[in-house]
C-alpha cells in the first residue's frame, strides 16, 4: 500500500521535523500545510491515505479541513496538546485518534498505521 500523509501544522520546526521523520519511515508526505486554505488546496490535488492535523492554524481552527477529510472518507489523526481538541476545533474532532504534542515517534507511527488500516 502507498502510504501518503497530509501534514497540517503551522509551527515550521514541528512540521519539518514530522515531514522528515515520516519520509524516513517510508511515508509520502503532502505539505506541510500551514493554513486551512493551503490544506484544502492540497486535498483538491491529491487525497492522502491519512492526515495529521494540528488543531489551531494561522488562519483559524482546522475544522474545515477535518470536515473535508471526513466527506472524502480520509481518516485523520490529531496532533495537539489539547486534551479535548473538539472544544477548539468542533465536534468533527471528537473521537479522532490523538498523538499529543509533542508527539512520540513510536506512538505517532502506530496511530497513523492503525488509522490507515481502519
Amino acid at each position: 500500500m502507498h502510504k501518503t500523509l497530509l501534514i497540517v501544522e503551522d509551527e515550521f520546526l514541528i512540521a519539518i521535523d514530522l515531514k522528515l521523520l515520516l519520509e524516513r519511515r517510508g511515508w509520502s508526505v503532502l505539505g506541510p500545510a500551514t493554513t486551512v486554505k493551503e490544506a484544502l488546496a492540497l486535498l483538491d490535488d491529491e487525497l492522502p491515505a491519512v492526515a495529521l492535523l494540528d488543531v489551531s492554524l494561522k488562519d483559524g481552527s482546522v475544522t474545515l479541513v477535518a470536515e473535508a477529510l471526513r466527506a472524502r472518507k480520509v481518516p485523520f489523526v490529531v496532533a495537539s496538546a489539547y486534551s479535548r481538541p473538539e472544544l477548539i476545533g468542533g465536534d468533527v474532532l471528537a473521537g479522532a485518534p490523538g498523538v499529543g504534542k509533542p508527539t512520540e515517534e513510536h506512538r505517532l507511527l502506530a496511530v497513523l498505521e492503525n488509522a490507515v488500516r481502519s
Side-chain angles (χ1 to χ4, degrees), residues 52-67:
L52 181 62
L53 308 178
D54 184 12
V55 175
S56 298
L57 303 173
K58 291 181 180 188
D59 60 347
S61 79
V62 76
T63 306
L64 292 176
V65 178
E67 289 171 346

Side-chain angles (χ1 to χ4, degrees), residues 24-105:
R24 282 193 310 268
R25 295 300 193 138
W27 289 84
S28 175
V29 176
L30 304 176
T34 61
T35 65
V36 170
K37 184 177 178 180
E38 288 175 8
L40 294 175
L42 287 171
L43 286 176
D44 285 342
D45 290 339
E46 182 177 353
L47 283 183
V50 65
L52 181 62
L53 308 178
D54 184 12
V55 175
S56 298
L57 303 173
K58 291 181 180 188
D59 60 347
S61 79
V62 76
T63 306
L64 292 176
V65 178
E67 289 171 346
L69 289 163
R70 182 164 286 162
R72 292 170 170 94
K73 300 196 182 337
V74 175
F76 56 86
V77 172
V78 177
S80 174
Y82 297 113
S83 61
R84 296 191 53 208
E86 66 272 15
L87 296 178
I88 306 298
D91 289 342
V92 69
L93 299 181
V99 293
K101 203 175 199 183
T103 303
E104 194 276 320
E105 178 179 349

